[in-house]
Amino acid sequence: MSLDHQPTSQNGIHSLTRTSLDIRRGQTPQTGDGHSYADDIEEPPQPGLGAHSVLIDYPDSSQANRRPPCYRERPWEIATGYDTRLFAVCGEYVCTAGYVTRVWNLRTGESLMTLPHGDTVKVTALAFKPARNVDDEGKRLWLGTNAGEIQEVDIPTRSVIHALPNAHSRGEIVKIYRYASEMWSLDDDGKLHVWPTDETGSPSLKHGHQSFNVPKGHSSSLVMGNQLWMATGREIRVFQPSSDANTTFQLFQKPLSQPNVGEITSSATISSQADRIYFGHADGKVTVYSRKTYVCLDIVNVSLYKISSLAGIGDYLWAGYNSGMVYVYDTTLHPWTVKKDWHAHDKPVASIVVDQSSVWKLDRLQVASLGIDNTIRLWDGMLKDDWLEAQMQHHDTEFCDFREITALVMTWNAGAVKPTSLRNDERDANFFRDLFCSEEPPDLLVFGFQELVDLEDKKVTAKSFFKSKKKDSSDSEHMSHQYRAWRDHLIRSLEEHMPTSEPYTLVQTANMVGLFTCVFVKACERSRIHHINAAEIKRGMGGLHGNKGALVMRFMFDDSSLCFINCHLAAGQSQTINRNNDVTAILESDPLPVLADNLDYSDMFVGGGDGSMILDHEICILNGDLNYRIDAMPRDTVVNAVRSNNFAKLIERDQLLLSRKRNPGFRLRAFNEWPITFAPTYKYDVGTDNYDSSEKKRSPAWCDRLLYRGIGRVKQLDYRRHEVRVSDHRPVTGRFKLRVKTVDSERRAKTWDKCKREFEVVKQRVGAEAK
């Protein structure tokens, strides 16, 4: 069995990048019973494309790759050495400007030129001048100043070869554009100059220019074809400069605009989508306009953060944010898909520039970003590492052998009870017998407990928080005894109720202030498990203590990476934000050790990871008392809905599901959950089937959850609760089929060589087309 992919297209860079990263398309892998591993994943809606079609879903970030697309060779970054928001890139040169203009060589990182302009003169616009011969591209630079002057700088000689002081007599030059072999310059008074080519085939400051008037004010603009799309605030105007007097300059008297979007901050085009222009907004939205009909095709919510810059590379839209992050979106899917995201700068991203000339000049497609941290960083626009990784996954049947294993995962907030408490009620006493005997014995058993220590006991809690360096031996003994008691009870239950012909062995246990994870595997499979690691992530009292947080257990099963996360998040009806912050801290931390350097991480992990983070692993199953409640509904209404089995009404108000829908940064969006068909598992009067009748009268909620991640690698078979009354929570279990692999190193080496050759073919084609 393998992950199936569409074959690589034979068209240019957009096919290179789009096909390379899209490992979710094509036929879905099949399980042994003939059902798809993706059967239990909701398909996103497919809205029709047309005027004012609105996408309400945030981009799917569940399979995003977090590896920065760095080049293997230096330099990776250049420190500008001064405060600047203005830069341009062409081939081996990168230039920044302000009161000083500086140029660096991108092959070596060497500073080539520093050109001061004085205390009052500031460069406010710049662009590389087009050359008649493509090999001469990048040698000449036009600088526009706050005094209306344009200077032409020759980089090889490090000199200003021509200056036109009154190029714009009325104001500061805010933008210089390149259109084909022309240069266009715009000042803050709304005067647009078009500088045509001279007898050499390049634009010249020594010859005349045509002038046009546009409205004052300018937040973002771009030249597409022979048109200037210019944004001011929320409004967009389209102009068509031409020497033909019969050509209309301003195409519309009324500007284009959309309601309920923020001010426009950036704009871009994507080479594979000639009809579309993208505008980024301050409120995290992107509007998409048609060049043919000038209607708004889509309004897409992509973020809660301000979009500071956009760039189109191949089939993808790159977006820089005020948070310093860069995201890469595939805009051909609905909802859009996040292909990559990484922390590009310590401060907001000021600009992103794609340099097509680098394809033939430097044998690469480079993308540069400038941050408010005054650093230029270089990125691989071809996303080579991701391309190769995806192609290897596409061809995995050529070097991998696959098999299915089954897993049973349980989560239970046991309320500090001992295993002996189960004997008090015959129905409780048979819990593990019924659990183990209800289905075929699974290959893997994962038990995740919460609150095996009484967190309400102020004495115990205080000791765990404030104990001195000299440990209280009685307290430590009490806590470890609780864990040992449950471990031993599970061992006895397995011996009593599982077939003696297939005994189980303990793989690993881990514990942290009430959290306890215990993993068993069939003895016949134990030799296949290796590289076992466990870690704790503390979230109690600001991350200092382990009364809340997560236990993480990772191991390799054959050559597949499995990660199990046992969580206990912030409690309380109104603590949704704190729970979401707990999730973010857990999934963004790197608590696990990196494996040996001689291992190929791409065979074991996903998303460009090295195994130090949870989402690096191919298969992740998260369980726990996540403590999400039901919003904005009186307790009696909730209880009545439960009694009438009207779960759909309550699920609409579930805080976890609402966070997935409303918050694009919610980290559990990377996980799937089987549909809930059982009653809320919290909070009961202990020993009864009655929801909380105490003075607090807590409202019922689905606090206890199981979520999973691993497209094509994991399929959930059931999701159910169990009637055990010794705690105020009910246990929840899920059964899963997991698809694991074994890599053949010799076959892998041959496939790797083939994928590298395929990449070189596409790379050469892209270079020829760009040149």
Side-chain angles (χ1 to χ4, degrees):
M1 296 185 301
S2 71
L3 294 173
D4 296 308
H5 307 263
Q6 290 181 339
T8 304
S9 168
Q10 300 301 307
N11 303 318
I13 183 64
H14 66 280
S15 302
L16 165 75
T17 53
R18 178 178 173 186
T19 305
S20 68
L21 294 182
D22 196 351
I23 65 172
R24 297 181 62 184
R25 298 185 190 164
Q27 297 179 1
T28 307
Q30 301 293 310
T31 65
D33 60 6
H35 294 292
S36 163
Y37 274 85
D39 282 346
D40 51 352
I41 301 169
E42 282 190 35
E43 290 299 319
Q46 301 290 329
L49 295 181
H52 306 286
S53 174
V54 177
L55 301 181
I56 60 173
D57 288 333
Y58 287 103
D60 175 13
S61 60
S62 62
Q63 303 301 308
N65 185 299
R66 67 178 180 86
R67 173 178 51 216
C70 299
Y71 288 108
R72 298 185 183 275
E73 64 278 1
R74 293 181 181 273
W76 301 325
E77 64 179 31
I78 291 175
T80 65
Y82 68 111
D83 188 28
T84 179
R85 304 289 183 271
L86 197 60
F87 86 125
V89 185
C90 187
E92 61 188 298
Y93 300 124
V94 60
C95 172
T96 62
Y99 291 104
V100 176
T101 296
R102 298 193 65 186
V103 178
W104 290 268
N105 186 308
L106 291 179
R107 296 180 188 272
T108 64
E110 174 190 7
S111 176
L112 298 178
M113 184 179 74
T114 300
L115 182 65
H117 302 291
D119 295 336
T120 59
V121 177
K122 180 181 182 180
V123 172
T124 51
L126 80 164
F128 281 94
K129 174 184 173 181
R132 187 170 188 174
N133 187 331
V134 293
D135 292 329
D136 291 330
E137 289 281 337
K139 294 182 179 179
R140 295 286 176 89
L141 190 68
W142 277 26
L143 308 176
T145 73
N146 57 348
E149 180 182 24
I150 297 180
Q151 300 176 0
E152 183 170 326
V153 176
D154 183 69
I155 293 176
T157 62
R158 299 169 175 80
S159 61
V160 177
I161 62 170
H162 190 74
L164 189 59
N166 294 316
H168 286 261
S169 58
R170 292 189 177 182
E172 176 181 305
I173 300 174
V174 295
K175 195 78 175 179
I176 298 179
Y177 312 92
R178 168 177 168 164
Y179 164 60
S181 295
E182 299 177 350
M183 295 290 268
W184 299 357
S185 56
L186 175 68
D187 63 35
D188 60 359
D189 197 47
K191 185 67 71 174
L192 177 70
H193 292 342
V194 175
W195 305 84
T197 58
D198 61 12
E199 63 278 0
T200 67
S202 295
S204 172
L205 293 171
K206 298 178 182 179
H207 292 72
H209 58 264
Q210 290 180 284
S211 295
F212 303 87
N213 291 315
V214 300
K216 297 180 181 180
H218 172 266
S219 57
S220 181
S221 58
L222 56 78
V223 174
M224 183 63 176
N226 62 345
Q227 295 176 344
L228 172 64
W229 288 62
M230 182 175 171
T232 304
R234 295 178 176 83
E235 298 181 341
I236 301 168
R237 292 175 174 84
V238 185
F239 303 98
Q240 189 166 285
S242 173
S243 58
D244 185 351
N246 295 321
T247 299
T248 302
F249 174 57
Q250 182 169 340
L251 299 187
F252 305 101
Q253 293 302 313
K254 291 183 63 178
L256 309 175
S257 65
Q258 298 302 315
N260 303 317
V261 296
E263 292 192 355
I264 294 172
T265 59
S266 49
S267 52
T269 59
I270 297 178
S271 59
S272 62
Q273 302 173 21
D275 179 48
R276 296 188 168 205
I277 298 182
Y278 294 80
F279 290 92
H281 296 259
D283 58 355
K285 293 185 177 69
V286 174
T287 50
V288 187
Y289 284 84
S290 168
R291 283 187 59 217
K292 295 179 180 178
T293 63
Y294 304 99
V295 300
C296 181
L297 301 174
D298 293 316
I299 302 174
V300 187
N301 289 295
V302 297
S303 177
L304 298 178
Y305 292 96
K306 175 183 178 181
I307 301 171
S308 57
S309 53
L310 289 177
I313 299 98
D315 216 21
Y316 296 152
L317 184 69
W318 292 40
Y321 288 93
N322 271 9
S323 60
M325 296 290 292
V326 170
Y327 279 66
V328 178
Y329 299 102
D330 184 345
T331 64
T332 63
L333 301 176
H334 298 278
W336 292 2
T337 298
V338 180
K339 289 301 179 184
K340 290 186 77 66
D341 65 271
W342 70 96
H343 198 82
H345 293 273
D346 294 332
K347 293 185 178 180
V349 179
S351 183
I352 300 175
V353 174
V354 55
D355 176 24
Q356 295 283 359
S357 69
S358 63
V359 175
W360 69 85
K361 284 182 168 291
L362 301 178
D363 194 32
R364 67 190 194 187
L365 177 59
Q366 66 186 6
V367 181
S369 63
L370 172 65
I372 305 301
D373 54 6
N374 297 323
T375 302
I376 296 169
R377 291 198 167 93
L378 301 175
W379 313 109
D380 178 11
M382 288 189 176
L383 306 178
K384 177 180 178 180
D385 289 342
D386 301 335
W387 194 94
L388 289 172
E389 185 175 300
Q391 285 297 98
M392 290 293 286
Q393 291 176 358
H394 174 61
H395 294 289
D396 57 5
T397 53
E398 298 176 13
F399 62 93
C400 293
D401 297 309
F402 295 94
R403 60 192 293 259
E404 281 183 353
I405 62 172
T406 55
L408 172 66
V409 182
M410 184 201 78
T411 186
W412 185 21
N413 183 322
V417 302
K418 299 177 181 179
T420 53
S421 301
L422 293 171
R423 302 173 188 165
N424 298 334
D425 187 309
E426 183 179 347
R427 296 170 298 179
D428 294 350
N430 294 328
F431 167 50
F432 286 108
R433 183 200 67 184
D434 296 342
L435 177 64
F436 295 154
C437 297
S438 61
E439 300 282 350
E440 284 294 315
D443 299 302
L444 199 62
L445 284 156
V446 181
F447 299 94
F449 294 90
Q450 305 85 45
E451 284 198 55
L452 284 192
V453 175
D454 186 0
L455 300 183
E456 297 296 323
D457 186 324
K458 292 183 172 60
K459 182 179 178 181
V460 172
T461 304
K463 283 184 177 181
S464 69
F465 285 173
F466 305 117
K467 61 187 177 184
S468 64
K469 292 182 180 178
K470 185 178 179 181
K471 294 184 178 180
D472 185 324
S473 59
S474 63
D475 179 48
S476 175
E477 177 64 24
H478 165 73
M479 296 176 70
S480 61
H481 176 73
Q482 283 284 80
Y483 304 132
R484 286 202 309 271
W486 275 105
R487 178 201 63 191
D488 294 345
H489 181 76
L490 292 171
I491 291 173
R492 285 194 301 272
S493 298
L494 287 169
E495 290 173 348
E496 291 175 9
H497 304 305
M498 286 298 195
T500 56
S501 59
E502 293 184 301
Y504 286 82
T505 183
L506 179 65
V507 175
Q508 181 87 331
T509 65
N511 63 81
M512 179 184 76
V513 193
L515 282 172
F516 181 55
T517 299
C518 195
V519 178
F520 295 88
V521 69
K522 283 182 177 177
C524 61
E525 301 282 5
R526 178 61 184 86
S527 62
R528 296 178 176 272
I529 293 179
H530 53 98
H531 289 93
I532 305 168
N533 297 104
E536 351 176 303
I537 303 172
K538 298 179 180 179
R539 289 299 299 160
M541 296 185 72
L544 298 175
H545 301 288
N547 62 313
K548 293 293 188 291
L551 277 178
V552 183
M553 189 176 294
R554 176 269 304 286
F555 53 83
M556 307 298 299
F557 202 114
D558 293 338
D559 290 323
S560 294
S561 55
L562 279 63
C563 189
F564 297 91
I565 312 97
N566 181 8
C567 299
H568 195 184
L569 306 185
Q573 180 73 31
S574 62
Q575 299 303 306
T576 302
I577 292 177
N578 287 335
R579 285 186 277 275
N580 291 355
N581 289 340
D582 285 347
V583 168
T584 298
I586 290 166
L587 295 182
E588 290 190 352
S589 65
D590 53 355
L592 294 164
V594 176
L595 302 186
D597 292 337
N598 60 343
L599 297 176
D600 193 316
Y601 295 144
S602 65
D603 284 342
M604 301 178 176
F605 304 116
V606 296
D610 56 12
S612 61
M613 299 177 72
I614 289 167
L615 296 184
D616 293 344
H617 298 80
E618 293 175 308
I619 296 171
C620 298
I621 298 180
L622 183 148
N623 75 82
D625 178 2
L626 305 187
N627 257 319
Y628 286 99
R629 310 300 172 89
I630 295 171
D631 260 342
M633 194 177 291
R635 178 187 182 279
D636 290 345
T637 304
V638 176
V639 172
N640 290 333
V642 173
R643 288 172 177 165
S644 60
N645 289 326
N646 188 3
F647 300 149
K649 175 181 179 180
L650 304 180
I651 287 173
E652 290 178 356
R653 304 286 185 89
D654 177 75
Q655 291 173 347
L656 191 158
L657 298 179
L658 286 174
S659 292
R660 288 176 64 100
K661 182 177 180 180
R662 295 173 177 173
N663 183 355
F666 183 47
R667 290 308 187 188
L668 286 182
R669 296 182 83 229
F671 287 78
N672 297 289
E673 182 177 21
W674 187 268
I676 296 173
T677 58
F678 49 82
T681 55
Y682 171 88
K683 173 180 172 59
Y684 285 90
D685 292 335
V686 174
T688 76
D689 292 322
N690 302 320
Y691 285 110
D692 184 23
S693 62
S694 70
E695 183 179 344
K696 292 185 178 180
K697 288 190 177 298
R698 295 177 181 87
S699 184
W702 286 284
C703 291
D704 309 284
R705 311 288 274 266
L706 284 172
L707 296 91
Y708 64 93
R709 181 177 189 268
I711 297 295
R713 299 178 175 94
V714 55
K715 176 180 174 62
Q716 188 164 357
L717 304 177
D718 67 24
Y719 194 22
R720 48 198 287 250
R721 62 174 251 167
H722 302 267
E723 304 312 312
V724 182
R725 298 161 182 82
V726 295
S727 169
D728 56 354
H729 290 252
R730 295 293 195 256
V732 172
T733 63
R735 290 179 179 268
F736 299 86
K737 282 186 178 179
L738 310 180
R739 178 172 171 262
V740 296
K741 68 181 186 298
T742 302
V743 176
D744 183 296
S745 57
E746 291 186 6
R747 287 155 53 195
R748 184 196 183 282
K750 294 178 181 178
T751 304
W752 176 251
D753 288 340
K754 182 177 74 171
C755 289
K756 287 197 295 185
R757 291 193 298 270
E758 291 173 354
F759 179 80
E760 288 303 316
V761 171
V762 179
K763 180 180 174 183
Q764 291 174 12
R765 184 187 314 118
V766 171
E769 291 177 359
K771 191 171 183 178

